[in-house]
Amino acid sequence: METRYDPALYEQDVYATWLEANAFAPDPDPAKEPFTIMIPPPNVTGVLHMGHALNGTVQDIVIRHRRMSGYSALWVPGTDHAGIATQAVVEKKLYQEQGTTREELGREAFVKKVWDWKEVHGNKILEQFRRLGCSCDWSRTKFTLDEDMSLAVREAFVRLWKKGLVYRGARLVNWDCELRTAVSDDEIEYVKRKTKLCYLRYPVKGEEGRFLVVATTRPETMLADTGVAVNPEDERYADLVGKTCVLPLVGREIPIVADETVEASFGTGAVKVTPGHDPADYERGARHELPIINMLERDGTLNEEAGDFAGLSREEARKRVLAALEEQGLLEKVEDYTHNVNISDRSKTVIEPIVSEQWFVKMGELAQPAIAAVKSGALVFRPERWTKVYIDWLENDRDWCISRQLWWGHRIPVWYDEDGTPVASVEEVEIGAAHPETGKPIVRQDDDVLDTWASSWLWPFATLGWPERTADLDRFSPTQFLATAREIIYLWVARMIMAGYEFMDWVDEDRRCAFSTCYINATVLDGKGKRMSKSAGNGIDPLEMVEKYGADAVRYSLVMLTREGQDVKLSEDRFKEGRRFTNKVWNAARFVLTNMEGSRTDGTSATAELLEDRWILARLARVRGDVSKALDEYRFNDAATELYRFVWNDFCDWYLELAKPRLEEGETDSARAVRGTLVRVLRDSLKLLHPFVPFQTEVLWKALHEALGEEPESMLVSATWPDAAGLELDEAAEREMDVVQEMVHAVRAIRALTTIGDRKPLTATVAAPRDVERKAIEEHAASIKSLAFLETLDVHASAERPAASAVAVASGAEVFVPLGAEVDLVKLGKTLEGRVDKLKKGIGAVEKKLGNENFVSRADPEVVEAERARREEMTHELDLLERNLLGL
């Protein structure tokens, strides 16, 4: 074995071996319980970012653990056609390379261009998931525009059509002027921006010289005003309600109405009402039967309703409207103002509310079973707090706008006859064919495509063959686990649950919930706690980190940083921790494998006689149980942390050090026992680590069996999860070993305190008044001396502290170490006094912080707990320093 682990030498070869063995396919044994995960399909335009890397790692840990635990484990991969994003990429490419637009090319030719682009670039992100080590069943890779997926989408639409749950109507929608399509409420972001609050003077009809002043951040939309509203409780305007005012620049007479939704404290307390371009005004207009005027074209320029301002961009129109108002003396003032602006999460441009004919799904009936699912426990969110986000959205959601004015996507399966009478059909309807209801010829199909989410909401079961009742659908549905981001709880998660209850109508109620656990990933932030983004230049490329540190190190680092419910602050340095750990595992395995010559015991608790063997096997038993439980409960950080401590601290730092002298004994009982124990611990540790660090553990699994001259049960990817056979919890051994460790720590603390070298031989005297600890120290004195580099260790029930000695406390005993002539006691005393002063100030600062009720109540509980732990640690160190000062 190489002295250092180089991931580049192994990772791709190991992955190829897994693929060749078809190791990621579910076990066909019908007796095995199925466990299914569906990958949240990344966009075909996507490239792997740290959020993907964390999400992929979490899912891979789950599926590898379940596969090893005896389940028929299936992880289905795939990609989403990402209608808006993909069309935008190809349109831009088309214009840059050929100087043409999609309109010039035509729909059929343009869609072919997008398919060509998808065939070249569309699977890039899935290849990147492979590089990370993800063990999906790639033979089942799906794409949301595959023919069978398209069939499922049409089937779902037609079923909703027949139930009256899908309809077309004119509604105020969010319009993306850059992409020229409607987007749903859930596809907009709220961005705080500085703007101007403009106060406009509207002349009151019939009252010369009297004006009603309205405040607005969008003065250009006043051209489409059809009313002015005031609060009915606002006495300033009580006499104006029911009267009219004259709309400046247009001359249209508009009513003044009283509406309770108007905030009397905003601006002047009077607001312009523009039902065609503002959601709140749309509702106000409906209540007061005000007409709707649309003054915008699809590209955001002003139309003929804007009169002299027609053809202008919104920005230019704003300038000219304000100039015209000022010229007429109708602009009272302009103030700086900061507010939230609606931005398209696709194009990042300002959203325009526009009244438009769109397709909608009625949400009320569909939402009820999805709400009941979390209340009954059929669906569980981890962390649990995301349940409220899910329920709040479902209980307050409006009808879902599912149409998009695009060409790339699932075209709406509705056709019209010459009179415009629609018909929905799963099968293609030929142009010219007779309308099934009117008998008149079909003349066209609806031009719009469906919202991307209107296909991906079927993902958990359409990928398994729905609407057909396939063997896969019967076996692997419903799924058990979904890992995704908080941003799409309502965009995707809630809709998948609704779809399961609506469309899986032939199965029992308890099998219609699409998945039983929804795990919401942490958001990966940069080291300063800011969101990573290309524009901010603070992103970290996970593939670069894989090349530099190896996939295992990247995976382990991410999981070690991810506590349930907390976002991850990530800098490149954190991946060094993962690499240090994988190097530690490699070196430990090398040590074991190079010391296998000779016979050995079977490495069980029954054959272990010496304390260190009993202890490490007891620790293995405990860790196996804790890690298994943590993984069953999706507590990934807890499992990874437990394994880290066991491998690094228990096995490497303690057991291997105690094993070394015994391995030199040849064929003694002690040597045979230590070899057997080393093999058992290494074998089980590799299994426990495999879901987290799959590549390295697979390499070491093969090396272990070669060193032993054995045939492995299988590759590690398909091996069984370690059970407790031959292992027992041994609390007595753990207590005794705690005493040994505390003694060694005490001597090391004295070395650190007095700056005596780590390996300089010392003498120590222990005063242990309690029989239990004293007996343990005496019985294991050889181990303590070896690990602490002591020449002598005298143990007594009581003992006077020797002159010029250092002291530490461990397991209720005092440890005295005489200081040699080389230690300058005066200088040491001054150093300790300085440290005492510094510690007292530090403790005071922490106590002040903990005494601040605002800090304790508002800070993250983990931060508060860390401060308390820091105070305890400093107090302990202060006690040690003061004890030593007294005796110098």
Side-chain angles (χ1 to χ4, degrees):
M1 289 176 63
E2 290 77 12
T3 54
R4 285 194 64 193
Y5 177 62
D6 182 357
L9 291 177
Y10 299 103
E11 289 185 349
Q12 297 200 33
D13 287 345
V14 168
Y15 202 87
T17 305
W18 288 333
L19 291 177
E20 186 179 345
N22 200 27
F24 305 154
D27 194 313
D29 183 354
K32 289 196 171 184
E33 185 179 345
F35 189 96
T36 315
I37 299 176
M38 297 292 172
I39 199 170
N43 292 350
V44 287
T45 57
V47 292
L48 201 71
H49 57 61
M50 274 300 168
H52 290 131
L54 174 59
N55 183 261
T57 297
V58 163
Q59 291 175 84
D60 197 48
I61 289 169
V62 172
I63 208 70
R64 286 180 184 272
H65 170 235
R66 298 292 176 162
R67 189 183 290 126
M68 296 175 75
S69 298
Y71 289 84
S72 179
L74 171 63
W75 184 12
V76 176
T79 50
D80 192 292
H81 65 278
I84 293 175
T86 308
Q87 179 162 314
V89 167
V90 177
E91 281 197 79
K92 183 178 179 181
K93 184 174 185 287
L94 192 65
Y95 189 78
Q96 288 175 341
E97 294 180 0
Q98 299 179 25
T100 189
T101 66
R102 67 180 168 106
E103 289 82 5
E104 292 168 342
L105 200 60
R107 184 168 193 147
E108 188 175 337
F110 176 75
V111 170
K112 184 180 183 304
K113 288 279 187 187
V114 184
W115 273 108
D116 292 342
W117 180 92
K118 184 265 175 187
E119 292 307 313
V120 175
H121 302 283
N123 289 323
K124 182 178 180 181
I125 193 165
L126 295 184
E127 292 298 324
Q128 293 171 332
F129 272 114
R130 293 184 187 218
R131 188 72 184 84
L132 191 65
C134 293
S135 58
C136 304
D137 184 352
W138 300 106
S139 68
R140 297 169 184 263
T141 301
K142 303 300 291 184
F143 177 52
T144 50
L145 277 178
D146 285 343
E147 183 50 46
D148 56 346
M149 298 292 287
S150 295
L151 172 66
V153 170
R154 295 194 300 272
E155 176 72 27
F157 184 95
V158 171
R159 289 193 187 190
L160 294 175
W161 168 282
K162 289 178 178 177
K163 290 183 69 173
L165 294 178
V166 64
Y167 66 94
R168 185 171 175 82
R171 287 268 303 274
L172 192 74
V173 298
N174 305 303
W175 190 264
D176 187 321
C177 298
E178 177 75 17
L179 299 173
R180 302 188 192 184
T181 182
V183 296
S184 73
D185 293 342
D186 312 310
E187 294 173 300
I188 60 176
E189 301 171 355
Y190 302 94
V191 178
K192 196 173 285 293
R193 287 189 176 175
K194 293 180 179 178
T195 186
K196 302 291 182 182
L197 185 62
C198 306
Y199 290 76
L200 317 182
R201 307 173 75 196
Y202 287 15
V204 177
K205 175 79 171 177
E207 297 190 29
E208 188 71 29
R210 187 176 183 186
F211 300 92
L212 185 56
V213 180
V214 299
T216 179
T217 59
R218 305 192 59 208
E220 71 281 3
T221 63
M222 58 87 63
L223 301 169
D225 284 0
T226 57
V228 174
V230 297
N231 192 292
E233 302 297 322
D234 195 333
E235 296 180 359
R236 292 174 294 175
Y237 306 116
D239 67 316
L240 288 178
V241 174
K243 296 183 178 181
T244 62
C245 54
V246 178
L247 186 64
L249 308 184
V250 178
R252 184 166 58 245
E253 193 174 329
I254 58 177
I256 301 168
V257 300
D259 194 281
E260 293 179 348
T261 62
V262 176
E263 293 181 31
S265 59
F266 173 76
T268 63
V271 296
K272 56 195 280 307
V273 181
T274 321
H277 297 291
D278 182 274
D281 289 351
Y282 182 77
E283 302 293 340
R284 289 178 185 134
R287 282 193 292 274
H288 300 284
E289 299 182 345
L290 301 179
I292 296 172
I293 296 174
N294 178 16
M295 53 166 272
L296 292 176
E297 299 284 4
R298 285 164 59 121
D299 63 358
T301 58
L302 276 62
N303 63 22
E304 68 278 359
E305 293 285 356
D308 294 341
F309 302 94
L312 297 178
S313 69
R314 291 162 290 168
E315 296 75 18
E316 184 61 29
R318 181 173 299 182
K319 294 176 187 175
R320 295 200 190 183
V321 164
L322 288 174
L325 289 168
E326 188 169 28
E327 187 178 331
Q328 295 182 25
L330 298 177
L331 178 62
E332 182 160 298
K333 63 178 178 176
V334 177
E335 298 176 340
D336 290 334
Y337 188 68
T338 300
H339 71 141
N340 284 329
V341 177
N342 294 354
I343 302 295
S344 167
D345 72 355
R346 302 294 186 179
S347 67
K348 304 304 179 186
T349 57
V350 175
I351 285 290
E352 284 295 344
I354 291 179
V355 174
S356 173
E357 283 274 334
Q358 301 289 339
W359 286 95
F360 297 88
V361 171
K362 296 177 181 178
M363 298 294 285
E365 181 179 327
L366 295 173
Q368 293 313 306
I371 293 170
V374 290
K375 292 185 175 179
S376 70
L379 172 63
V380 174
F381 279 87
R382 296 192 65 97
E384 193 276 334
R385 70 172 184 271
W386 294 111
T387 305
K388 186 176 186 303
V389 173
Y390 169 91
I391 290 180
D392 285 351
W393 181 80
L394 284 170
E395 289 181 340
N396 296 287
D397 192 37
R398 298 187 298 175
D399 287 354
W400 174 17
C401 176
I402 58 168
S403 49
R404 299 291 181 267
Q405 288 63 55
L406 303 170
W407 288 353
W408 173 247
H410 296 277
R411 195 166 177 179
I412 290 177
V414 172
W415 286 261
Y416 302 88
D417 69 10
E418 56 191 16
D419 294 333
T421 305
V423 61
S425 173
V426 175
E427 302 302 325
E428 190 81 14
V429 177
E430 293 290 331
I431 301 300
H435 191 292
E437 296 171 12
T438 67
K440 295 182 178 180
I442 295 291
V443 296
R444 68 181 182 90
Q445 184 180 355
D446 198 288
D447 285 329
D448 291 349
V449 300
L450 288 166
D451 174 14
T452 293
W453 302 106
S455 57
S456 56
W457 76 323
L458 308 175
W459 187 252
F461 44 92
T463 48
L464 296 171
W466 186 91
E468 299 298 321
R469 289 193 60 176
T470 63
D472 275 355
L473 190 61
D474 280 341
R475 178 150 174 76
F476 294 109
S477 178
T479 70
Q480 283 68 45
F481 179 80
L482 174 77
T484 191
R486 66 190 67 168
E487 293 86 356
I488 55 176
I489 289 174
Y490 34 84
L491 281 170
W492 190 45
V493 174
R495 288 170 179 163
M496 284 191 288
I497 298 299
M498 287 189 279
Y501 281 102
E502 178 64 23
F503 300 121
M504 292 289 288
D505 50 4
W506 69 79
V507 299
D508 293 340
E509 184 81 11
D510 62 354
R511 290 194 60 210
R512 289 165 71 177
C513 189
F515 37 85
S516 50
T517 297
C518 180
Y519 179 89
I520 302 300
N521 290 319
T523 298
V524 182
L525 310 172
D526 71 8
K528 296 178 181 177
K530 296 180 179 178
R531 275 184 173 265
M532 290 186 180
S533 69
K534 285 183 181 178
S535 58
N538 62 346
I540 300 175
D541 184 343
L543 291 180
E544 286 184 13
M545 299 301 100
V546 168
E547 291 296 326
K548 193 168 184 179
Y549 301 105
D552 289 328
V554 169
R555 291 165 60 113
Y556 211 81
S557 298
L558 286 172
V559 178
M560 283 290 287
L561 290 171
T562 308
R563 292 181 179 87
E564 185 178 287
Q566 295 186 19
D567 290 339
V568 179
K569 290 183 181 179
L570 184 66
S571 61
E572 184 178 336
D573 283 347
R574 305 308 291 266
F575 294 111
K576 294 176 183 176
E577 296 175 20
R579 183 173 64 180
R580 280 193 289 269
F581 180 66
T582 55
N583 285 339
K584 191 79 166 180
V585 172
W586 183 263
N587 290 333
R590 276 187 77 245
F591 173 80
V592 173
L593 300 185
T594 54
N595 284 280
M596 282 300 97
E597 287 187 19
S599 58
R600 62 185 186 280
T601 64
D602 60 5
T604 62
S605 299
T607 61
E609 295 181 359
L610 295 185
L611 172 64
E612 57 263 33
D613 295 343
R614 289 167 48 220
W615 169 75
I616 197 66
L617 292 171
R619 288 290 300 132
L620 177 62
R622 191 176 297 280
V623 167
R624 189 210 68 82
D626 291 347
V627 169
S628 299
K629 188 172 188 292
L631 289 180
D632 284 342
E633 297 172 356
Y634 307 121
R635 293 183 289 109
F636 305 106
N637 173 267
D638 289 350
T641 302
E642 191 72 25
L643 279 170
Y644 185 97
R645 289 172 180 160
F646 175 73
V647 172
W648 192 294
N649 298 338
D650 297 344
F651 188 51
C652 295
D653 287 354
W654 291 99
Y655 187 73
L656 292 187
E657 293 304 313
L658 289 166
K660 286 174 182 177
R662 293 168 60 191
L663 288 167
E664 297 171 2
E665 296 175 7
E667 284 299 314
T668 64
D669 290 344
S670 172
R672 281 192 290 273
V674 78
R675 282 193 289 267
T677 304
L678 285 168
V679 169
R680 175 60 186 266
V681 175
L682 179 60
R683 177 185 283 125
D684 283 12
S685 296
L686 293 177
K687 287 185 174 185
L688 292 168
L689 284 166
H690 179 73
F692 302 89
V693 284
F695 291 107
Q696 186 188 64
T697 52
E698 190 71 78
V699 172
L700 292 174
W701 182 253
K702 181 181 178 184
L704 171 62
H705 288 88
E706 286 176 351
L708 298 176
E710 297 175 356
E711 279 296 320
E713 57 181 285
S714 65
M715 286 192 296
L716 185 53
V717 67
S718 306
T720 56
W721 190 248
D723 58 24
L727 297 179
E728 294 178 4
L729 293 177
D730 188 339
E731 293 183 357
E734 290 181 288
R735 284 195 299 271
E736 283 186 60
M737 193 63 185
D738 282 345
V739 173
V740 171
Q741 290 175 322
E742 287 196 33
M743 287 293 120
V744 175
H745 283 312
V747 175
R748 289 174 179 171
I750 289 171
R751 288 180 185 276
L753 190 71
T754 59
T755 66
I756 297 172
D758 290 345
R759 293 177 178 248
K760 178 180 172 59
L762 299 174
T763 62
T765 300
V766 176
R770 294 198 295 257
D771 291 343
V772 174
E773 286 83 6
R774 187 169 65 255
K775 182 181 177 184
I777 296 167
E778 288 172 341
E779 188 172 342
H780 305 296
S783 295
I784 296 170
K785 287 164 62 179
S786 172
L787 293 169
F789 293 96
L790 295 174
E791 287 182 331
T792 61
L793 177 63
D794 295 325
V795 185
H796 308 279
S798 62
E800 291 292 325
R801 178 177 177 181
S805 65
V807 63
V809 177
S811 294
E814 289 185 304
V815 181
F816 306 117
V817 174
L819 302 177
E822 73 275 11
V823 176
D824 184 333
L825 298 182
V826 175
K827 183 178 179 181
L828 177 61
K830 289 180 179 178
T831 300
L832 297 185
E833 285 171 351
R835 288 172 63 181
V836 165
D837 290 341
K838 188 176 180 180
L839 274 172
K840 285 180 176 177
K841 289 177 183 176
I843 291 169
V846 173
E847 286 182 336
K848 184 178 179 182
K849 190 182 287 188
L850 291 172
N852 183 333
E853 287 186 15
N854 284 334
F855 169 76
V856 174
S857 61
R858 294 179 183 176
D860 185 345
E862 284 226 347
V863 172
V864 176
E865 195 54 44
E867 287 296 314
R868 288 179 177 140
R870 187 163 155 251
R871 177 179 63 185
E872 186 177 342
E873 186 179 322
M874 288 192 294
T875 302
H876 178 76
E877 187 179 350
L878 178 63
D879 179 64
L880 178 63
L881 289 170
E882 289 179 333
R883 276 172 172 266
N884 278 280
L885 270 171
L886 285 172
L888 286 180

